[in-house]
């Protein structure tokens, strides 16, 4: 199955599957997620979280749409459209496993590196009774037992930003803005949070983002005074 | 000539300051004398200020070194103290990974701590000053230092750095803002320091659990308003304000979701200072802190 986001075509499994190495914390039916591979932080509202949880590799998109339709008493066509949109977004954000055998069309989703071993300290803490990984969806019987769905439907919402540091090791001033809108070294800034350079690795000095020792650079102007750009890296 | 170091411990943050120009140490001492100590703790942040007089007719520039590395070079002496505070901030971010650090003002009451996270210019510090006149205790105006084990906020009671557009507001609050010295900070313009100990000698609070998370946004002329937000929204926005996310990564998410799980969360449109403070006081009075099940 392929989906197009903008000009880019992504290949996804017939049965969308959540990726590993994503820390998920649920709060009042919504969730905040951290993708260890990309450094992205996402927030899902209830509807998006329901779709995400359903992407366990055992259900097709139409099956997930039926769940949404039943849960929120939605028209089936609308449910299918909404679910397809969410799966498209999840795929574009690299949160779903790509289909095997997909070739050059893969963007962001494919990783050539084995996912890092999971840090035991980041494993879900089930002792608190709070599910940190996607929990079981209510069965059809449970839904029917509750009569017609009483849940209020809100359109799926996924918000994303890239946590500080994700831009810092990238190319220096070739793009003014890193992911999430921050500015790379050499570009204008009003305050330290404007700069992609992680706090402690650089700062916003005299209206321009600059780097401390070790930060990638193109010229001396990219480095915080009195450092210079030496072989592509700021140094004293 | 032997240059002596002077040691200070402000809550959990310790600084060892030395300079070949005595007046800079005296300026720092004027704010933090009660926190002075005889010896430096192991985790003290070392700061050294040097005056380089390149021309006989002009003082400066002044170099501010930190932990043996060169930090800032400033041209004017009235830029030194603001940059000294700024470089301490950066060293806290680098060295103190024992706290989860947020860009936020923090205060505390007997019911718990109030967290005011936000970008520069959101009005955190001015609102903090206002709430200090309403009986709140002070933790910090720049950092929320969250103990990752207990989830409590710890104090770092540095002087509040007030920007010039807020000077009149501080005057209206009746607070003792010293404006004799025209301190200057490049990103903020003219600034002055408000010593919280001048407001009340016992104003510094103790480590406290977070009960309210309020994201302020100052809008000139606006009617102050509080809007409840979902806890997932609050956690998401707190992560954006996390200085040392890189040190904690997925754990930061877990810790901050724990924080908001036990708190009430709001967006605040700030306006006139007294009305805005009234809104916060009503919030605390009408909504007692949620009971936390053991």
């Amino acid at each position: 199955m392929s989906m197009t986001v903008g000009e880019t075509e992504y290949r996804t499994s017939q049965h969308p599957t959540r990726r590993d190495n994503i820390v998920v914390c649920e709060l009042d039916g919504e969730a905040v997620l951290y993708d260890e591979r990309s450094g992205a932080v996402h927030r899902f509202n209830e509807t998006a979280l329901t779709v995400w949880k359903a992407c366990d590799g055992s259900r097709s998109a139409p099956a997930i749409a039926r769940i949404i339709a039943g849960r929120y008493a939605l028209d089936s066509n609308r449910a299918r459209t909404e679910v397809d949109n969410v799966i498209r977004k999840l795929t574009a954000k690299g949160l779903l496993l790509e289909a095997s055998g997909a070739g050059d069309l893969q963007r962001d989703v494919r990783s050539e590196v084995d996912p890092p071993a999971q840090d035991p300290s980041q494993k879900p803490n089930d002792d608190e009774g709070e599910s940190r990984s996607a929990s079981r969806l209510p069965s059809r019987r449970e839904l029917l037992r509750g009569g017609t769905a009483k849940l209020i439907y809100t359109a799926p919402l996924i918000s994303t930003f890239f946590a500080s540091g994700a831009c810092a090791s990238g190319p220096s001033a070739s793009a003014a803005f890193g992911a999430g809108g921050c500015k790379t070294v050499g570009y204008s800034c009003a305050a330290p949070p404007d700069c992609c350079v992680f706090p402690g690795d650089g700062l916003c000095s005299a209206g321009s983002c600059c780097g401390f020792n070790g930060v990638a650079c193109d010229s001396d102007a990219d480095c915080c005074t009195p450092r210079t750009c030496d072989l592509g890296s700021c140094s004293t | 000539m032997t240059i002596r170091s002077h040691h200070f411990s402000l809550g959990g943050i310790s600084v060892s300051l030395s300079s070949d120009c005595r007046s800079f140490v005296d300026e720092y001492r004027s704010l933090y004398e009660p926190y002075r100590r005889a010896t430096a703790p192991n985790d003290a942040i070392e700061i050294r200020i040097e005056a380089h007089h390149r021309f006989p007719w002009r003082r400066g520039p002044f170099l501010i070194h930190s932990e043996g590395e060169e930090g800032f070079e400033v041209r004017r002496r009235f830029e030194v103290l603001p940059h000294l505070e700024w470089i301490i901030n950066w060293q806290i971010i680098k060295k103190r990974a024992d706290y989860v650090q947020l860009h936020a003002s923090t205060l505390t009451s007997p019911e718990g701590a109030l967290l005011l996270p936000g970008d520069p210019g959101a009005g955190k510090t001015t609102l903090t000053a206002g709430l200090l006149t309403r009986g709140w205790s002070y933790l910090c105006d720049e950092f929320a230092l969250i103990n990752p084990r207990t989830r409590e906020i710890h104090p770092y009671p540095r002087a509040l750095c007030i920007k010039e557009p807020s000077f009149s507001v501080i005057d209206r609050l009746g607070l003792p803002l010293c404006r004799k010295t025209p301190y200057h900070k490049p990103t903020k313009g003219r600034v002055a320091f408000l010593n919280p100990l001048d407001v009340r000698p016992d104003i510094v609070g103790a480590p406290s659990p977070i009960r309210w998370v309020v994201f302020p946004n100052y809008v000139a002329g606006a009617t102050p308003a509080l809007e409840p937000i979902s806890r997932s929204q609050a956690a998401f926005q707190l992560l954006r304000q996390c200085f040392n996310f890189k040190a904690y990564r997925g754990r930061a998410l877990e810790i901050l979701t724990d924080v908001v799980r036990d708190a009430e969360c709001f967006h605040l449109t700030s306006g006139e200072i007294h009305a805005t403070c009234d809104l916060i006081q009503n919030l605390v009075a009408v909504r007692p802190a949620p009971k936390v099940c053991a």
Side-chain angles (χ1 to χ4, degrees):
Chain A
M1 181 170 80
S2 68
M3 290 182 166
T4 302
V5 177
E7 297 299 317
T8 306
E9 185 177 353
Y10 297 88
R11 295 249 171 88
T12 61
S13 167
Q14 297 286 350
H15 293 77
T17 309
R18 296 184 301 273
R19 246 193 57 229
D20 291 331
N21 299 108
I22 294 171
V23 180
V24 183
C25 289
E26 291 190 39
L27 285 160
D28 303 331
E30 300 180 339
V32 184
L33 294 78
Y34 172 63
D35 184 347
E36 294 176 347
R37 190 177 72 184
S38 66
V41 176
H42 308 280
R43 178 188 158 240
F44 291 175
N45 71 351
E46 182 183 304
T47 313
L49 180 61
T50 303
V51 174
W52 161 256
K53 284 182 175 180
C55 294
D56 60 2
S58 69
R59 300 182 180 92
S60 63
I64 297 172
R66 285 193 292 275
I67 291 171
I68 294 294
R71 187 177 170 93
Y72 296 105
L74 280 187
D75 169 73
S76 59
N77 287 334
R78 182 176 172 198
R80 182 63 200 270
T81 303
E82 300 278 59
V83 165
D84 282 349
N85 281 339
V86 173
I87 291 176
R88 195 174 293 128
K89 285 182 186 172
L90 293 175
T91 306
K93 290 176 186 294
L95 294 171
L96 296 178
L97 290 176
E98 68 279 13
S100 58
D104 296 337
L105 291 174
Q106 290 302 315
R107 285 277 301 274
D108 274 343
V109 176
R110 179 179 290 283
S111 170
E112 299 299 326
V113 178
D114 288 338
Q118 187 155 9
D119 182 347
S121 68
Q122 292 181 5
K123 280 190 178 159
N125 180 2
D126 292 323
D127 291 341
E128 295 180 12
E130 181 77 32
S131 170
R132 297 279 170 84
S133 58
S135 57
R136 186 184 65 85
L137 285 171
S139 67
R140 169 175 280 214
R141 177 171 296 184
E142 286 166 342
L143 282 174
L144 290 173
R145 195 179 295 140
T148 54
K150 300 179 181 63
L151 298 173
I152 298 172
Y153 179 76
T154 51
L157 172 68
I158 302 174
S159 306
T160 300
F161 76 92
F162 284 84
S164 297
C167 312
S169 58
S172 59
S174 57
F177 287 89
C182 59
K183 299 185 184 182
T184 56
V185 292
Y187 283 83
S188 63
C189 55
D194 290 349
C195 299
C196 292
V197 191
F198 185 71
D201 290 334
L203 61 144
C204 178
S205 175
S208 178
C209 297
C210 64
F212 287 164
N213 290 353
V215 172
C217 56
D218 284 341
S219 68
D220 290 352
D222 293 345
C223 303
C224 302
T225 307
R227 295 161 186 80
T228 56
C229 188
D230 184 25
L231 298 176
S233 180
C234 295
S235 66
T236 305
Chain B
M1 180 179 77
T2 305
I3 296 175
R4 204 175 123 221
S5 289
H6 302 260
H7 314 297
F8 304 84
S9 286
L10 283 72
I13 304 299
S14 296
V15 175
S16 287
L17 176 64
S18 62
S19 179
D20 56 2
C21 189
R22 173 86 192 207
S23 63
F24 295 129
V25 176
D26 289 344
E27 277 185 43
Y28 194 78
R29 280 178 63 177
S30 71
L31 291 174
Y32 302 119
E33 183 66 27
Y35 302 107
R36 208 160 152 227
R37 51 186 294 164
T39 55
N42 291 339
D43 60 1
I45 295 168
E46 294 182 5
I47 308 285
R48 179 176 171 78
I49 304 171
E50 292 176 359
H52 285 204
H53 302 307
R54 293 195 182 130
F55 305 106
W57 57 86
R58 194 172 77 194
R59 303 193 69 189
F62 306 94
L63 303 184
I64 307 170
H65 304 274
S66 171
E67 297 290 304
E69 292 182 357
E70 291 189 23
F72 290 109
E73 177 180 305
V74 298
R75 291 195 185 86
R76 299 180 289 173
R77 71 173 314 282
F78 298 130
E79 294 177 327
V80 172
L81 184 58
H83 281 81
L84 168 59
E85 294 272 32
W86 200 2
I87 210 166
I88 292 172
N89 288 351
W90 287 108
Q91 288 299 338
I92 291 171
I93 292 166
K94 282 176 78 170
K95 283 185 69 167
R96 297 308 301 267
D98 50 330
Y99 295 113
V100 175
Q101 302 167 13
L102 304 179
H103 190 199
S105 291
T106 50
L107 303 105
T108 189
S109 72
E111 286 78 25
L114 169 67
L115 188 62
L116 301 171
D119 292 334
K124 304 184 295 297
T125 301
T126 309
L127 178 56
T128 297
L131 291 174
L132 291 181
T133 68
R134 301 296 187 102
W136 287 82
S137 294
Y138 180 64
L139 295 179
C140 192
D141 76 322
E142 187 76 21
F143 282 91
L145 300 177
I146 300 174
N147 183 316
R149 284 184 302 104
T150 65
R151 315 307 199 226
E152 290 183 333
I153 295 188
H154 284 235
Y156 169 41
R158 45 168 261 161
L160 286 74
C161 182
I162 308 293
K163 296 194 281 281
E164 188 169 26
S166 294
F167 285 1
S168 58
V169 178
I170 303 300
D171 288 343
R172 280 206 302 280
L173 290 168
L175 291 170
L177 185 66
C178 179
R179 282 179 277 189
K180 253 189 333 191
T181 308
Y183 292 114
H184 187 265
K185 200 169 172 184
T187 55
K188 294 189 176 183
R190 187 169 166 210
V191 297
F193 291 96
L194 171 64
N195 191 340
L197 294 176
D198 290 341
V199 179
R200 252 182 9 253
D202 62 346
I203 202 167
V204 178
S208 300
I210 299 165
R211 292 289 176 249
W212 301 277
V213 180
V214 177
F215 295 87
N217 179 37
Y218 173 70
V219 177
T223 301
L226 269 173
E227 176 199 346
I229 61 172
S230 70
R231 290 190 169 94
S232 72
Q233 268 181 285
F236 185 72
Q237 290 180 231
L238 286 183
L239 286 163
R240 295 187 76 121
Q241 300 297 338
C242 186
F243 281 132
N244 61 346
F245 185 96
K246 200 164 65 172
Y248 281 85
R249 297 183 186 272
R251 266 195 78 210
L253 172 56
E254 294 173 3
I255 291 166
L256 294 178
T257 50
D258 279 348
V259 162
V260 299
R261 194 172 283 121
D262 294 334
E264 295 192 63
C265 308
F266 303 89
H267 278 153
L268 168 68
T269 301
S270 302
E272 193 277 327
I273 187 64
H274 293 294
T276 304
C277 291
D278 286 344
L279 208 54
I280 298 291
Q281 294 298 97
N282 289 341
L283 172 72
V284 174
V286 171
R287 298 172 193 239
K291 295 205 185 312
V292 178
C293 296

